[in-house]
DNA sequence: CGCGCTCTTGACTAGGGTCAAGTGCAGTGG
DNA sequence: CCACTGCACTTGACCCTAGTCAAGAGCGCG
């Protein structure tokens, strides 16, 4: 834990509350200690696209740390515990602790790799592929931080939030989930994802999770 | 130009050649001095999703600089001139020149901001909106580096490449372009994009390009 | 008990994909 | 100079995935 000096005190945020709002240009980043959160971008017509979904160990808001326009909101999906990363004297820290700089750069890069994968999903995969990919990825990440097993994981996401992340309507997502359930591939019910036939899911959807590294950002830092 | 010491000699790459291939795990980044390039991810079924399109002044491959799995390819769209950024002794450089670390982090963040915008397009906008958004963004970026005016810019991209970037088929892109042409909004012909009614385009598609900063990455570094 | 969630399902519609054919070059070779 | 090939672009006809509209079910909560 190289980054101790950057971290502020624990902060608790209730489920549903916004940690960061689109318009505010106070740039703060957080380490997510427990719970789930998501970040999204709103469109003027009231729609929103969810950018990514984070769980314990992930960094929140690094993306817009250095940018003038922090145009994303971050919302707690469950009750959440975070620690603020003070960014005021980032250049001081970089000077005195170059390894922190490296770790931060690495964290941002990994974040971006996931974004790219998400982009490919939205661009080239159909609704079922996207859904399976997303759920398997979340499962793999949950497993890495000890929140899941190869058989499944607890997933506190509503269908409409998942749909907003996948770029499809909640209604269509529901249909897709039904098909997956009826084909005995996976079940998503009561906030619990169960992979019935994981092998088949992976080969059917040609998944590759090499971009998920075994280290979490928090461990690195 | 803080980053002089990181830059290698000029390299010239012909149009169509790959600078970086998906599988190679030699992680190199480049500054694009002149010409256009794009990076993409291939799927096993032969499809590809284009991640982003770069022009002079942009950084190529920073995304995967620190990652084990550099799973994207980078291809020259035109004849291209690049300078390699040596990444071997990145941590040495960070130690002796903290400002470089800051600049790199900033560059990656900006890269990611564009990715997010692209993600939103694929998730929530229809084909026409995506197309207009992409072309206006490319135009704005071209203008920043002196390659275009508010009236238009030279855009050496084939329709099929643009389509792969927008997540639609070339055929449908063609239809969309026809509509835009017939509505006297913009024309894309012979590698030249002309905005006929820029004001209308922007308001029609509710565009906001705040995330495009006036500084190019190369200038920063 | 009733309100407001999320989830579910059906019927219909439309945006965009697929298939297929054709045009207009630039390059090459006879 | 004129086929011949290949590539980027066009366009039309048809079809399917996913969106829209509408209604209902199950459930936690004041």
């Amino acid at each position: 834990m190289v980054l101790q000096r950057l971290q502020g005190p624990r902060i608790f945020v209730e489920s549903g509350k916004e940690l960061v709002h689109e318009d505010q240009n106070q740039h703060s980043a957080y380490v997510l200690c427990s719970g789930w959160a998501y970040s999204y971008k709103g469109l003027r017509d009231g729609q929103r696209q969810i950018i990514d979904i984070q769980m314990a160990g992930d960094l929140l808001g690094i993306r817009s740390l250095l940018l003038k326009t922090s145009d994303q909101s971050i919302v707690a999906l469950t009750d959440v515990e975070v620690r603020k990363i003070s960014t005021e004297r980032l250049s001081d820290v970089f000077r005195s602790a170059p390894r922190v700089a490296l770790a931060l750069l690495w964290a941002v890069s990994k974040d971006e790799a996931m974004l790219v994968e998400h982009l490919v999903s939205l661009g080239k995969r159909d609704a079922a592929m996207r859904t399976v990919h997303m759920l398997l990825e979340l499962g793999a990440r949950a497993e890495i931080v000890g929140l899941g097993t190869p058989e499944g994981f607890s997933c506190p996401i509503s269908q409409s939030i998942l749909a907003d992340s996948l770029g499809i309507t909640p209604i269509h997502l529901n249909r897709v989930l039904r098909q997956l359930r009826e084909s005995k591939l996976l079940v998503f019910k009561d906030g619990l994802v169960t992979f019935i036939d994981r092998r088949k899911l992976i080969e059917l959807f040609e998944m590759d999770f090499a971009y998920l590294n075994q280290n979490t950002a928090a461990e690195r830092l």
Side-chain angles (χ1 to χ4, degrees), chain A:
Chain A
M1 297 293 272
V2 189
L3 196 53
Q4 294 290 12
R5 91 185 68 183
L6 277 181
Q7 292 193 21
R10 283 180 161 68
I11 302 172
F12 295 88
V13 179
E14 284 179 64
S15 162
K17 299 270 188 233
E18 287 201 341
L19 273 111
V20 178
H21 187 71
E22 309 214 29
D23 299 325
Q24 77 193 46
N25 42 1
Q26 156 232 345
H27 306 282
S28 22
Y30 303 88
V31 180
L32 182 52
C33 304
S34 73
W36 292 56
Y38 68 90
S39 61
Y40 73 91
K41 241 191 115 153
L43 306 196
R44 270 123 312 233
D45 62 5
Q47 300 210 85
R48 67 179 171 180
Q49 173 64 42
I50 290 182
I51 311 300
D52 53 17
I53 294 175
Q54 286 108 346
M55 58 190 82
D58 290 336
L59 259 37
L60 308 178
I62 12 158
R63 200 170 3 264
S64 45
L65 236 172
L66 295 184
L67 260 34
K68 291 207 190 70
T69 50
S70 152
D71 46 2
Q72 303 165 36
S73 303
I74 302 180
V75 182
L77 257 170
T78 64
D79 289 350
V80 139
E81 177 191 349
V82 299
R83 302 179 126 232
K84 191 163 182 172
I85 298 178
S86 71
T87 72
E88 320 275 319
R89 294 181 293 141
L90 204 59
S91 57
D92 292 350
V93 176
F94 273 28
R95 192 165 301 122
S96 57
R99 290 188 55 201
V100 172
L102 215 51
L104 255 185
L105 189 57
W106 175 86
V108 178
S109 300
K110 191 186 155 189
D111 198 60
E112 208 172 346
M114 291 184 44
L115 229 51
V116 166
E117 199 58 41
H118 197 170
L119 190 85
V120 172
S121 263
L122 295 190
K124 293 282 142 152
R125 297 197 251 254
D126 66 17
M129 299 260 275
R130 289 183 211 177
T131 306
V132 171
H133 187 276
M134 175 95 262
L135 291 179
L136 279 174
E137 186 196 289
L138 288 175
R141 287 168 58 198
E143 201 180 335
I144 287 173
V145 293
L147 294 173
T149 71
E151 284 76 43
F153 65 105
S154 146
C155 181
I157 308 181
S158 76
Q159 287 187 16
S160 84
I161 285 181
L162 187 55
D164 272 346
S165 156
L166 296 172
I168 58 181
T169 55
I171 297 172
H172 193 59
L173 172 60
N174 190 286
R175 290 193 274 245
V176 167
L177 288 174
R178 188 194 347 171
Q179 284 169 229
L180 291 170
R181 197 187 323 129
E182 287 172 353
S183 340
K184 302 211 181 307
L185 288 170
L186 70 78
V187 177
F188 181 14
K189 190 161 177 50
D190 301 325
L192 214 67
V193 173
T194 313
F195 303 119
I196 303 180
D197 195 341
R198 193 170 214 268
R199 182 159 316 256
K200 202 161 171 187
L201 282 171
I202 292 177
E203 88 183 41
L204 218 59
F205 297 92
E206 292 174 332
M207 235 59 79
D208 176 14
F209 292 108
Y211 63 94
L212 291 180
N213 197 296
Q214 282 298 119
N215 305 11
T216 68
E219 280 165 11
R220 276 263 179 165
L221 295 170

